[in-house]
Amino acid sequence: MNSWSEMFQQQPIVSKMITNSIKKSRISHAYLIYGDKGTGKVELAQLLAKSIFCKNKQGYEPCQTCLDCKRINSGNHPDLHKIEPDGASIKTEQIAHLKKEFNYTGLESNKKVYIIEHADKMTDNAANRLLKFLEEPSQETTAILLTENSQSLLATIRSRCQILSTRPLNSKQLELKLMETGITEANARILTTFTRNLAEALEKSNDTWFAQARKLVVQLVEMLQNNRDEVPIFVHTQWMPHFKEKNQLQEGLDLLLVWFRDVIHYHMDDPSSIVFLHQMEKLEQASMYWSIQDITKHLQTIMEAKRKLEQNVHPQLVIEQLTLQIQR
Ligand SMILES: [Zn+2]
């Protein structure tokens, strides 16, 4: 993300707030940007720093080609300091070092910017030290604190910052981010059906329980089409042992909902909406077996089963009824 015009696509509100303050030359002494992993916090901080240092900027847009912009891109601008956790935490010495660096005047200007990533990981001592630093702001210093968890920061630090929050990614953006990490399109699409949070999606992609849950859903549906007699034993020996907890069972039913919605999308020749992308053949078989009307009824039945689970009806009973009701 190299320009504000790109950033506006992903994070319009925060971008608007920051670029307004750049336009009016009213940049705060301290910003706290919080939001989920992958929502562009680091990129926002980097862009703000560029807009502060770039001498050829057009309005608020940095030029990307001057020495300042290039140095920021390569991570070695002398007046931009970044702090990240050293191991599990950000330690007092790291903040002390920052303070010392800031006592030197800049070569070309007195402007200084520091970015603290995972600011919630500061030890209590480090946080108190930073607080003192924030309490004596020099005219030309800008602090940018980033966190996924703003509530873990000292209230006294938060109160000194202009607080900005990034919005979660939409499903398409998250899908692309997941695919950048090597996850297939089919898997990325299923993951984004369950979460809009990159960290959670990545965790789920490595979750063997979730992978097995998906398989069981496909198996159950196949059995409902082809071997109805074997469904009770399948529910008893495979389904129930896997979906032991109520929330797990809800997730299993959510997958079942996704599957049947996919069959409807298949019927309607709308492949771009299909989630179980790697099961097209089975979706085709299901669409020949069940009409759209059948499936609409099944979706209602599954929703009803989810409600019963919430009302603490015995899980095994809920699933047995559900599989009986899903008929042709
Ligand atoms: Zn520039």
Side-chain angles (χ1 to χ4, degrees):
M1 201 84 50
N2 255 332
S3 66
W4 285 111
S5 62
E6 278 175 87
M7 190 48 97
F8 264 94
Q9 310 288 321
Q10 190 181 324
Q11 293 295 346
I13 297 166
V14 188
S15 299
K16 179 110 191 131
M17 290 176 84
I18 298 180
T19 53
N20 270 346
S21 65
I22 299 168
K23 270 196 279 189
K24 293 180 186 152
S25 301
R26 278 201 204 134
I27 294 171
S28 298
H29 289 300
Y31 291 91
L32 169 61
I33 305 176
Y34 75 92
D36 288 347
K37 183 182 164 78
T39 51
K41 297 186 296 297
V42 176
E43 291 87 346
L44 280 163
Q46 187 105 344
L47 267 172
L48 173 56
K50 271 191 210 165
S51 293
I52 289 173
F53 288 115
C54 176
K55 294 184 191 73
N56 299 326
K57 59 175 177 286
Q58 301 285 316
Y60 48 73
E61 200 73 88
C63 75
Q64 308 294 348
T65 50
C66 71
L67 186 59
D68 285 297
C69 283
K70 281 187 185 156
R71 278 171 159 174
I72 292 173
N73 279 339
S74 60
N76 55 18
H77 192 287
D79 295 317
L80 171 63
H81 295 260
K82 279 192 194 167
I83 294 185
E84 293 173 282
D86 175 11
S89 60
I90 295 173
K91 304 189 168 61
T92 322
E93 303 83 72
Q94 291 176 271
I95 305 292
H97 178 72
L98 180 75
K99 253 175 150 171
K100 209 170 123 198
E101 286 288 318
F102 274 48
N103 286 333
Y104 302 117
T105 5
L107 289 176
E108 286 140 45
S109 75
N110 286 328
K111 286 181 188 166
K112 305 264 187 188
V113 175
Y114 60 97
I115 299 171
I116 303 184
E117 286 186 45
H118 302 285
D120 54 292
K121 298 279 191 322
M122 280 186 286
T123 62
D124 287 351
N125 280 338
N128 280 313
R129 195 126 188 189
L130 177 74
L131 183 61
K132 285 200 194 102
F133 200 15
L134 290 172
E135 281 167 346
E136 45 187 61
S138 98
Q139 214 46 41
E140 310 245 32
T141 298
T142 308
I144 310 171
L145 279 56
L146 312 178
T147 180
E148 286 166 36
N149 184 4
S150 70
Q151 291 308 312
S152 304
L153 275 167
L154 290 180
T156 42
I157 288 186
R158 277 187 277 138
S159 70
R160 301 232 153 239
C161 298
Q162 181 178 350
I163 298 178
L164 303 167
S165 73
T166 56
R167 65 174 194 188
L169 300 174
N170 67 34
S171 59
K172 201 75 220 160
Q173 290 164 336
L174 181 58
E175 213 175 291
L176 290 172
K177 288 241 172 210
L178 289 169
M179 285 161 70
E180 279 168 21
T181 72
I183 291 174
T184 63
E185 187 181 10
N187 285 338
R189 197 162 294 176
I190 290 184
L191 293 166
T192 52
T193 313
F194 282 86
T195 176
R196 289 291 155 82
N197 177 305
L198 181 62
E200 265 176 41
L202 287 170
E203 197 180 313
K204 230 176 173 53
S205 77
N206 291 318
D207 181 351
T208 50
W209 179 89
F210 187 63
Q212 179 63 13
R214 285 155 51 181
K215 274 190 204 148
L216 288 173
V217 166
V218 177
Q219 279 176 21
L220 176 65
V221 181
E222 261 198 317
M223 220 168 261
L224 285 166
Q225 285 169 224
N226 305 323
N227 308 304
R228 292 205 66 92
D229 296 347
E230 289 173 30
V231 170
I233 186 88
F234 174 80
V235 167
H236 186 69
T237 59
Q238 300 209 47
W239 184 277
M240 295 314 293
H242 189 69
F243 299 98
K244 281 191 209 97
E245 309 290 333
K246 197 164 86 176
N247 64 330
Q248 292 179 328
L249 196 48
Q250 289 284 16
E251 201 158 315
L253 293 182
D254 286 336
L255 280 165
L256 204 57
L257 280 173
V258 172
W259 173 270
F260 278 114
R261 280 194 202 116
D262 273 2
V263 184
I264 289 189
H265 295 312
Y266 195 94
H267 267 292
M268 299 174 79
D269 200 16
D270 177 17
S272 64
S273 301
I274 287 177
V275 174
F276 279 89
L277 278 176
H278 57 313
Q279 301 283 6
M280 290 305 243
E281 217 170 290
K282 291 191 172 137
L283 288 172
E284 188 188 356
Q285 290 162 12
S287 74
M288 292 192 286
Y289 190 80
W290 282 302
S291 69
I292 292 187
Q293 287 81 347
D294 293 332
I295 295 163
T296 312
K297 248 187 267 165
H298 299 342
L299 290 173
Q300 285 162 357
T301 309
I302 300 166
M303 294 301 292
E304 183 55 31
K306 285 175 64 68
R307 273 192 292 275
K308 283 184 193 154
L309 277 180
E310 276 313 308
Q311 292 158 1
N312 287 322
V313 180
H314 193 278
Q316 175 120 10
L317 193 65
V318 172
I319 300 303
E320 280 170 3
Q321 281 181 346
L322 172 71
T323 51
L324 279 174
Q325 279 167 340
I326 296 184
Q327 305 274 2
R328 201 193 264 261

